[in-house]
Amino acid sequence: MNVIKVINDHKETIRVSMTLKEESQRFTKLLFKAFYDCDTDAELALQQLETLFVTIRNKACPEIKNKPCKLWSDFKENIPDLYSSLQKDAEAIYNNDPASKSIEEIYLAYPGFFAISIYRMARVFFKLNLPLIPRLMTEYAHSITGIDIHPGATIGEYFFIDHGTGVVIGETTDIHSNVKVYQGVTLGALTVKKIHQNTKRHPTIEQNVTIYANATILGGQTIIGKNTVIGGNTWLTESVPENSIVTHNHQVEIFSKLKK
C-alpha cells in the first residue's frame, strides 16, 4: 500500500486548510489587540488585518479568489458599532460583578468578556455569509475560555457571562438585552436530528433574565420571560412566564461525624 497516495487521495476528497485555521486565529488575536492593547498601533494593525482578511476570505471561499465579493471594507464598516457594543458588555460586567475593580481588569482578565468579544467579531463574518471563519474564531475563544458561543446566536446589549467555564450557547439561541449567565449554563437544542438544522432549535431568553450556574434550557419553542431568575442546576424544556423564579429542589442532609 502506498501510504502517501492514501493520504493525498483523502486530501483531495476532503480539502481542509490548516492555514485557514491558523490565520483566522491570528486575525482574531490581532483584532482584539487593535481594540484594547495600548501597545498596539491601531492604524498599523488595521493594515495587517486587511491583509489577513483577504487571506482567510480566499482560503474559505477559493471559488471567489481575486473576484469582487466580501471586502475588508464590508467588515471595517461594522467596527464602530462593534466597538460600541463591546463597551456595553464591559460595562455590564463591571456593574454586575462586585469583584471587578476596573474596566482594564475586565479587558485583561475576564474570560467572559473575551468570549463575548470574539463572538461579536465572528458574528460580523457570519452576517457576511463567509463560511468557516466565524466558527474558527469562536472555537478559538472556546479553546481558551471554555465558553462555546455559536456565531449564529443572536445576543443583545449588555451581556454578562460570569466565570464562564462550560457555558454553551447554541446556533439559534436568541438572547435579549441585560441578560446574565453563570458558569456551566447550556442553552441548547431539545433534538439534534440533522433534518432540523434549518429550524429554531435553541431557546429565547428575554431581557433582564439571570441564569445561575449549571442550568440547562433546551428547545426552540422555549421562552424565558423577562425579569426571570433561573436557579442553579435547573433543567427546562418549556417556557417560563415573565417575572418568575425557577428553582431546583433537592435535599441536603448534614450528619455529625461524632454521632453514633
Side-chain angles (χ1 to χ4, degrees), residues 58-75:
N58 289 348
K59 286 288 184 184
C61 307
E63 70 279 1
I64 55 88
K65 185 176 181 179
N66 299 323
K67 296 179 181 179
C69 184
K70 306 302 180 183
L71 306 175
W72 168 242
S73 57
D74 296 321
F75 183 91

Side-chain angles (χ1 to χ4, degrees), residues 5-6 14 35 67 76 86 101-102 112-113 115 123 128 139 164 170 173 197-200 208 236 242 253:
K5 185 178 185 306
V6 170
I14 303 176
F35 275 27
K67 296 179 181 179
K76 193 167 71 169
L86 291 173
K101 301 300 189 291
S102 67
F113 180 74
R123 178 74 175 160
L128 291 175
E139 279 305 309
T173 304
Q197 71 178 107
N198 295 319
T199 63
K200 189 178 186 328
N208 302 318
L236 290 171
E242 61 185 56
E253 297 185 51

Side-chain angles (χ1 to χ4, degrees), residues 120-181:
R120 294 205 188 276
M121 295 169 185
R123 178 74 175 160
V124 176
F125 278 94
F126 188 85
K127 288 181 176 180
L128 291 175
N129 294 315
L130 284 169
L132 273 179
I133 298 169
R135 286 284 282 158
L136 292 172
M137 292 174 72
T138 54
E139 279 305 309
Y140 171 65
H142 182 199
S143 70
I144 293 174
T145 65
I147 299 168
D148 183 1
I149 309 176
H150 195 288
T154 302
I155 301 178
E157 296 181 332
Y158 298 100
F159 185 45
F160 173 33
I161 298 177
D162 199 10
H163 306 296
T165 305
V167 166
V168 177
I169 299 174
E171 179 183 17
T172 62
T173 304
D174 185 3
I175 299 175
H176 297 189
S177 60
N178 294 294
V179 168
K180 297 190 284 291
V181 170

